[in-house]
Structure formats: C-alpha cells, structure tokens
Amino acid sequence: MISLRKTVYGLVAIAIGLSAVQAASAAEEVNVYSLRQPFLIKPMFKRFTEETGIRVNTLYSQSGLVERIKHEGRNSPADLLLTVDIGRIQDAVDADIAQPIQSNILDANIPAQFRDESHLWVGLTTRARVIYTSLDRVAADAIGSYEDLADPKWKGRVCVRSGMHVYNIALIASMIAHHGQEDAKAWLTAVKDNLARKPQGADTDQIEAVSQGVCDIALGNSYYYGKMLDDPNKAPAAKKVRIVFPNQADRGTHVNISGVALMKNAPNKDNALKLVEFLSNDEAQHMYADINFEYPVKPGVAWSEMVQSWGTFRHDALSLNAIAANRSAAIRLIDEVGFNE
Ligand code: FE
C-alpha cells in the first residue's frame, strides 16, 4: 500500500494534464486513468464513493496514457483506463495492458454489440456519427445516408474533419465491413470529390462551416450539436443546422462508444470491477450520457431532454469488434485515396 501511495504521489510530480490524485488515506480506493475530461466523470465517481465508501483517484490526460501505463509496467497504479472511441480502446488492447472483465452484471446491462468478445473492454456510452445539413439550403429529406454523401450533386458542398481522425476511421471501417474494400474505396473517392475544402478542424468546426455557408453538409458526432446548443455563443450557429440520422431506411446510423478497460496490473481489481458495474447501472448511465449529450449503452435508460428532442433512431447493429477489425484497412484506404490532400 505504501509503495502504491508513493507511486501515486510520484505521478503528481511528473504529471502532464493531471486533474486530481487524492491522498490515498482511505483503505479502499480505485485508480482511474482517464482520457475523458474530469467534468464528465466526477459526478458519477462522487455518487460511487457515497454508495460504497471507495475513493476514486483520477489522473486525466488528453493523450499518452496507454504508453504511460505500458511504461509503468507491473508497478502501474492504474486500475482502469477510461477512453473515447473504439480505436483508442483497441490501442490499449494492442499494447497488452488490459485484462478481461468478467461480470454477469455487465453482461446483463451492456448489449453484446458494445462489449469486447474477449471481455477486454466494455462500452459505457454511445455516440452517433450524424450528418448535419443547412436548414436554408438543403431540404430535410435531400440526404438520408452516408452513401448519399458520394452523390455528385453535392460537389463542393461537403465539410469533414481529417479522414485520419479516429471518428472517421471508425465510420470508414464500418463502410468497409458493410460494402467491402472496393465499394468503400469508390465511395470515399466520391466523397473526397464532393468536399468544399481540405479536411480540417474538429467536428464543431464543420457545424460552424455549414452555418457560415462554407458548405451545406457536414459529418460530426451527435453530442457536439448538444454542446453547441447548450452554449449561448455557439447556439446561433447550431440553430442554422439540422441533425440527420443516416441510413434509417436500411442498416441504421453508425455509432461509436466511450468505454473502459481493466488494467492487467490493477492493484485494486475488486474495487475497479465494482466501479465499472456501478457505471453500467441505470443512475450512472443516465448521468454519464446526460453530461455530454451522449446515449446510455444500457437499453431503457432515459436520455437527456435535449437528446430526446432530436428523436429516436435506428443504430447500425455492427459490433464494435467488427469495426475495430477493419480499422487498419480503413487507414490504408484513407491514405490510398489521398482523402486529406
Ligand atoms: Fe469527441
């Protein structure tokens, strides 16, 4: 215990982007390394500590946590790694820092689509990759699918961030899974031909670009729309744009996850399991999804009012494992078609 405390304090000294590592005075604790921002996770951790007495120490960084845990090796104090996007969770699996989480509670609460087949991670929230269209310049039913983004009638009218961003890699991986390499390549080439400008910026920048008339159609994650509508400075731009859930007539909208993995050398494994199970329960699921305008993974949990206002939608049933399996092919494809050039 003493050596763990020393390690935790050592982290404080060298931490980059460290949010809070509390003194390890409680007998029961769990250490969470998080790629998610502290404000998104603290409220649930507070409730967990209230219910269980288990203290949650968090270390936040926007990047580098997988490498850090690998480097810390057997002495790593990390019990859990919280991430966004299947790609970043897969990085943890590929770095061999995760161990299986076996739990009947998790199996019951989280649909198989959003859990790893080898139990090396579970999804905690989902987010839809949607199409944003100009209210003024695009008719409500003018575009209904990812495939439609390739229609030549949209030439010079589409905005998107870098093809190599993890969110786009996952979407393109899903296109490969559904259509095969050749068709996915033809599609991506045609989407590139329709771009209004070189891929750039973040998802919110694409919504801004539609509101400013730089383009008429954009791709982005669903929660960014909620964040903008919730921000008085950005709401006017978001209100010029509608959210379209693609592929409602067929396979459904592509969804990604934020998730968690149990670390191989977790010093507080039992407490870590309790925390993950807690995060999958109704109360935490609602809170977690609500704070960032995401969707709970657990079926039947109420969505936030804003998210409800966008309507229900059918999501693509493709497993996140299948998306992960096609990520390398997607990266090659993005490179081959010179999507970012
Ligand atoms: Fe994001």
Side-chain angles (χ1 to χ4, degrees):
M1 216 49 198
I2 295 300
S3 66
L4 170 62
R5 279 182 215 173
K6 275 189 182 153
T7 314
V8 171
Y9 283 125
L11 287 175
V12 177
I14 57 167
I16 25 122
L18 178 70
S19 66
V21 174
Q22 296 163 341
S25 58
E28 294 290 339
E29 62 182 353
V30 56
N31 300 321
V32 179
Y33 282 24
S34 177
L35 290 155
R36 303 220 77 182
Q37 297 171 66
F39 83 93
L40 293 173
I41 50 179
K42 284 228 166 109
M44 282 85 69
F45 291 174
K46 185 166 172 277
R47 283 289 301 122
F48 175 72
T49 303
E50 281 167 10
E51 269 194 21
T52 63
I54 300 167
R55 185 190 291 264
V56 184
N57 307 310
T58 60
L59 182 132
Y60 164 70
S61 176
Q62 272 194 317
S63 61
L65 288 180
V66 169
E67 296 75 10
R68 180 180 191 134
I69 294 166
K70 192 159 177 72
H71 180 74
E72 288 169 344
R74 274 188 302 178
N75 297 318
S76 177
D79 293 303
L80 296 170
L81 177 67
L82 273 180
T83 73
V84 289
D85 191 90
I86 180 61
R88 295 193 177 124
I89 300 176
Q90 194 61 43
D91 286 345
V93 171
D94 293 345
D96 197 26
I97 58 171
Q99 67 169 304
I101 316 178
Q102 300 279 6
S103 158
N104 293 335
I105 292 174
L106 295 178
D107 289 353
N109 286 348
I110 305 174
Q113 177 188 7
F114 304 124
R115 282 187 271 120
D116 179 42
E117 287 161 0
S118 309
H119 305 278
L120 289 170
W121 50 261
V122 296
L124 292 172
T125 60
T126 67
R127 53 272 297 282
R129 194 135 184 86
V130 299
I131 294 173
Y132 293 106
T133 61
S134 166
L135 279 174
D136 297 339
R137 300 182 303 276
V138 180
D141 59 354
I143 185 160
S145 69
Y146 301 110
E147 288 76 2
D148 287 347
L149 291 168
D151 190 320
K153 76 176 172 185
W154 303 121
K155 193 162 183 69
R157 298 175 70 183
V158 178
C159 278
V160 64
R161 78 192 304 169
S162 165
M164 287 295 183
H165 189 272
V166 284
Y167 301 160
N168 284 333
I169 292 170
L171 171 63
I172 294 161
S174 83
M175 292 296 287
I176 294 172
H178 286 299
H179 295 294
Q181 299 258 11
E182 279 314 301
D183 285 1
K185 185 175 180 178
W187 170 78
L188 194 61
T189 304
V191 175
K192 175 182 156 58
D193 287 344
N194 284 344
L195 294 181
R197 59 179 186 183
K198 262 191 191 184
Q200 58 192 268
D203 280 353
T204 47
D205 296 316
Q206 317 313 316
I207 299 174
E208 294 271 7
V210 172
S211 81
Q212 290 161 5
V214 175
C215 41
D216 297 331
I217 294 168
L219 261 177
N221 280 357
S222 48
Y223 52 88
Y224 290 113
Y225 192 52
K227 285 185 181 195
M228 288 180 74
L229 289 169
D230 200 43
D231 177 343
N233 293 321
K234 294 186 174 167
K239 283 178 180 165
K240 292 183 179 174
V241 172
R242 75 167 71 74
I243 185 167
V244 176
F245 291 92
N247 297 78
Q248 293 308 288
D250 45 70
R251 67 181 180 274
T253 299
H254 165 70
V255 291
N256 209 316
I257 53 167
S258 76
V260 64
L262 176 64
M263 296 297 92
K264 207 171 206 171
N265 298 305
N268 307 289
K269 186 177 165 182
D270 291 348
N271 291 345
L273 183 59
K274 280 182 196 155
L275 178 55
V276 178
E277 289 177 345
F278 175 85
L279 291 173
S280 78
N281 79 24
D282 284 58
E283 181 193 2
Q285 278 286 294
H286 177 73
M287 287 172 76
Y288 201 176
D290 188 57
I291 295 167
N292 197 38
F293 307 106
E294 290 179 86
Y295 297 94
V297 281
K298 185 168 189 265
V301 174
W303 301 353
S304 77
E305 264 177 43
M306 167 133 24
V307 170
Q308 280 184 45
S309 74
W310 306 335
T312 56
F313 68 101
R314 169 211 289 257
H315 67 251
D316 187 344
L318 190 67
S319 79
L320 272 289
N321 273 127
I323 290 171
N326 283 291
R327 286 185 80 247
S328 302
I331 290 167
R332 277 197 303 276
L333 197 59
I334 296 156
D335 197 37
E336 262 175 48
V337 308
F339 191 79
N340 287 346
E341 287 152 27

